[in-house]
Amino acid sequence: QVQIVESGGGLVQPGGSLRLSCSFSESIDNASGMGWYRQAPGKQRDWVTTIFNGGMKSYADSVKDRFTISGDNAVNTVYLQMDSLKPEDTAVYYCFGTFRGSLYWGLGTQVTVSS
């Protein structure tokens, strides 16, 4: 079983920034893909971004040009840098990774964007 722990959530004003971290219990070099989903109250869980094992990245239109996903193989961690945050970004953010054909999820971290 791959264990995933997210951190870095919190309260930020509109226009502010946060960096989320997603720590994996094994080498992220073993992952075929990693990334983030988010779920706002009363809404479905929506895909945000994915980074693939070749380094390719993909973003939802709603966050493109504001969010940046990256990985650090040395510490088995994926990051989500979130800039120019909007109230609509308020959600629980869930990290995922696919290892050996199986999908694993973290428990989520709350991001609240409010003035």
Side-chain angles (χ1 to χ4, degrees):
Q1 290 287 104
V2 176
Q3 305 297 315
I4 300 174
V5 179
E6 304 102 328
S7 62
L11 175 65
V12 65
Q13 293 184 348
S17 298
L18 284 173
R19 189 179 75 161
L20 306 184
S21 296
C22 179
S23 179
F24 293 83
S25 63
E26 72 173 82
S27 174
I28 62 173
D29 190 51
N30 296 331
S32 57
M34 299 165 289
W36 299 83
Y37 278 70
R38 66 186 183 184
Q39 187 168 25
K43 295 187 176 181
Q44 67 180 18
R45 185 175 296 190
D46 291 329
W47 171 74
V48 176
T49 182
T50 299
I51 182 169
F52 299 94
N53 62 4
M56 293 179 292
K57 303 171 183 179
S58 186
Y59 300 92
D61 288 342
S62 59
V63 306
K64 191 174 183 179
D65 300 324
R66 299 189 298 119
F67 290 12
T68 304
I69 188 170
S70 62
D72 187 344
N73 296 74
V75 293
N76 298 328
T77 299
V78 169
Y79 303 98
L80 183 64
Q81 178 67 42
M82 305 184 295
D83 298 319
S84 301
L85 283 162
K86 305 175 180 179
E88 307 94 271
D89 297 317
T90 295
V92 177
Y93 283 70
Y94 298 91
C95 182
F96 73 89
T98 302
F99 295 76
R100 298 170 292 278
S102 295
L103 179 63
Y104 298 87
W105 292 93
L107 295 178
T109 185
Q110 176 71 48
V111 172
T112 302
V113 184
S114 180
S115 59

